[in-house]
Amino acid sequence: MTTPSLSLTLTAEHEMIRQTARDFAQKEIAPIAAEFDESGDFPITTIKKMGALGLMGIEMPEEYGGAGMDTIAYVLALEEICKVDASHGTIMSVNNSLFCNGIYKFGTEAQKQKYLKAVASGEKIGAYSLTEPMSGSDAGTMKSRAVREGDVYVINGRKSWVTSAPVADYIVLFTMTAPEKKHKGITAFLIETDQPGFVRGKKEPKLGIRASATSEIVFENYRCPVENRLGEEGEGFKIAMTVLDAGRIGIASQALGIAEAAYEASVAYAKEREAFGSKLGEFQGTQFKIADMKTRIEAARLLIYNAALAKMNAKASGGRYTLEASMAKLYASETAMFCAHQAVQIHGGMGYSKELPVERFFRDAKITEIYEGTSEIQRMVIARQELGLR
Ligand SMILES: Cc1cc2nc3c(=O)[nH]c(=O)nc-3n(C[C@H](O)[C@H](O)[C@H](O)COP(=O)(O)OP(=O)(O)OC[C@H]3O[C@@H](n4cnc5c(N)ncnc54)[C@H](O)[C@@H]3O)c2cc1C
């Protein structure tokens, strides 16, 4: 296990991006969050504005269209966006973590110039497609195929649950080139969604993060040029998991933002609402909820900073930070669910009402325990690392 130093001093740049994200979320996202949650429409206008502010490729170097900042800057900004609306946060995290990270680490210079620049700058929308209808946690069982024919790979199959797929310009796709090798037969490709053979499938109606469009995608003899292969044949699983390490830090920050929103709403309500002649906050039963929420939030924050620092150290040393990322995601997502649950309870009937955002926090929190590896998978990853198992 890497043991990064926990001495963290936020720089003026960190404070600046946090404030930028906070101001934007309050001014531009807060007024529309409930409406887009209700309609399920993709908030393209605000997402483009986030791109213009440098929020769609925070850690990417400026030469590739990014903001050239570090992982701490990324987690601070994502937390602020998610504190107001987790749907915007999902779109932001897929662009930043799942699309840009993979190309930056494994892409050729030509791929970076064409795909990374466009997505990191927010000009284009990126997506990441690993999951299939019959293959989620167990990626080695995927059914889609890419078969090489000269200078192209012919891709066929169906992928599911692709965040941003209904609007994405480019997708990092993971598919089988050698099925008999299972995980070691997976290869990654860069897909252009305006090419023949790419079909957008049905959009998923969802419990939460409803404004982050999610859909199936279908490949019908899609011809992918060899130069659009990301990494080597058979390297796809390694790329997918490396990228998910980064992604899990993002989802942990999303969870922290939701937890904080639920907590702040609860504190405000407990100070205002009265029952039996006292403020709710004067009852010990409410105080225990507030104390547990606050303690878990601060513990989650430290695990996230720990993982972000581990990622920054790994960038210098070339190592991995799998354990730190999984611990942050596991704990922060369960904290989000815990805090959202307590917040609905503290609000009583109003917690169940669409007039307040608390019910949205409750619905949005759940996804953080599912995508980019469920809580069960995070526990497996953590335990395997500790037990020295593969
Ligand atoms: C809104 C949304 C957005 C998504 N976005 C994307 C995306 O952009 N790209 C993408 O590729 N995927 C995406 N996903 C897919 C997501 O990552 C998967 O749903 C998730 O990894 C779980 O896979 P599954 O749904 O197939 O569940 P399964 O793998 O079928 O798991 C079902 C249950 O069994 C448990 N389980 C499985 N194996 C074990 C085990 N060995 N031990 C104990 N328990 C186990 C799981 O933890 C879970 O509780 C998204 C999903 C959702 C809901």
Side-chain angles (χ1 to χ4, degrees):
M1 174 186 174
T2 51
T3 36
S5 149
L6 251 185
S7 75
L8 173 67
T9 312
L10 296 189
T11 63
E13 199 175 53
H14 292 141
E15 296 292 1
M16 187 271 292
I17 190 144
R18 175 152 71 178
Q19 198 58 47
T20 301
R22 183 178 292 166
D23 290 347
F24 183 81
Q26 290 298 340
K27 280 195 202 117
E28 304 265 354
I29 302 177
I32 62 163
E35 177 194 331
F36 278 77
D37 170 63
E38 186 71 28
S39 69
D41 291 337
F42 189 90
I44 190 72
T45 307
T46 33
I47 290 295
K48 290 285 175 190
K49 287 184 186 174
M50 285 166 66
L53 286 173
L55 297 176
M56 297 307 269
I58 292 174
E59 292 177 81
M60 295 301 115
E62 290 175 27
E63 62 183 298
Y64 296 127
M69 295 186 181
D70 62 17
T71 312
I72 296 290
Y74 174 53
V75 301
L76 292 171
L78 190 52
E79 177 193 334
E80 291 299 330
I81 298 294
C82 294
K83 210 166 156 181
V84 171
D85 182 37
S87 287
H88 278 78
T90 297
I91 300 161
M92 177 178 162
S93 78
V94 169
N95 239 61
N96 275 274
S97 298
L98 298 190
F99 189 90
C100 292
N101 265 306
I103 300 177
Y104 181 54
K105 196 165 168 66
F106 298 98
T108 62
E109 185 55 31
Q111 290 170 346
K112 288 177 190 168
Q113 290 297 336
K114 182 164 182 192
Y115 300 106
L116 181 54
K117 248 185 184 172
V119 173
S121 64
E123 183 200 322
K124 303 277 187 193
I125 305 285
Y128 168 102
S129 176
L130 179 67
T131 307
E132 295 190 0
M134 297 308 290
S135 156
S137 304
D138 184 5
T141 57
M142 63 173 62
K143 300 268 183 293
S144 66
R145 300 280 183 268
V147 177
R148 186 158 179 175
E149 287 182 9
D151 288 345
V152 298
Y153 286 87
V154 179
I155 302 177
N156 280 289
R158 182 177 291 270
K159 306 293 285 187
S160 55
W161 289 111
V162 188
T163 297
S164 299
V167 295
D169 300 285
Y170 304 135
I171 300 177
V172 176
L173 169 75
F174 299 90
T175 186
M176 281 287 184
T177 45
E180 70 287 356
K181 294 185 184 165
K182 299 191 172 168
H183 296 88
K184 293 192 172 150
I186 299 173
T187 302
F189 296 94
L190 284 162
I191 301 300
E192 299 190 8
T193 60
D194 61 358
Q195 294 301 305
F198 176 84
V199 182
R200 297 183 208 267
K202 84 174 161 69
K203 195 173 150 193
E204 299 292 348
K206 303 195 294 287
L207 172 73
I209 56 162
R210 289 173 42 76
S212 74
T214 323
S215 76
E216 284 195 341
I217 55 176
V218 183
F219 292 87
E220 295 172 347
N221 292 321
Y222 178 97
R223 296 174 75 78
C224 182
V226 170
E227 62 263 27
N228 275 22
R229 191 184 64 216
L230 185 62
E232 297 300 322
E233 273 195 24
E235 269 195 333
F237 187 71
K238 183 183 86 182
I239 295 174
M241 294 304 121
T242 305
V243 167
L244 280 179
D245 285 347
R248 286 168 183 168
I249 300 177
I251 302 309
S253 313
Q254 174 178 49
L256 178 62
I258 299 169
E260 286 183 295
Y263 171 73
E264 288 179 12
S266 301
V267 168
Y269 199 73
K271 285 180 177 172
E272 285 297 320
R273 177 77 174 172
E274 289 185 6
F276 302 99
S278 298
K279 304 284 187 199
L280 294 183
E282 287 165 352
F283 299 125
Q284 197 178 51
T286 311
Q287 291 168 2
F288 283 7
K289 290 186 176 69
I290 296 291
D292 288 347
M293 290 162 87
K294 177 68 176 167
T295 305
R296 290 188 193 206
I297 284 170
E298 295 311 324
R301 190 191 313 282
L302 288 176
L303 281 171
I304 291 167
Y305 290 170
N306 183 53
L309 289 169
K311 179 169 187 267
M312 286 154 63
N313 288 345
K315 194 175 172 189
S317 68
R320 296 275 298 260
Y321 47 92
T322 305
L323 178 65
E324 291 85 350
S326 279
M327 291 193 301
K329 193 216 179 232
L330 173 64
Y331 193 78
S333 61
E334 294 190 352
T335 295
M337 208 52 216
F338 175 82
C339 290
H341 180 216
Q342 299 300 330
V344 170
Q345 197 65 19
I346 287 172
H347 283 75
M350 286 312 292
Y352 210 70
S353 166
K354 291 241 177 226
E355 283 183 26
L356 294 181
V358 176
E359 63 84 34
R360 175 162 56 86
F361 303 151
F362 183 77
R363 288 185 288 105
D364 287 349
K366 185 61 201 170
I367 191 59
T368 64
E369 292 183 322
I370 296 174
Y371 60 12
E372 301 200 22
T374 62
S375 292
E376 289 79 7
I377 296 301
Q378 304 311 323
R379 286 187 164 88
M380 279 167 55
V381 169
I382 295 163
R384 281 178 182 173
Q385 293 261 328
E386 290 303 286
L387 294 167
L389 303 171
R390 285 182 57 83

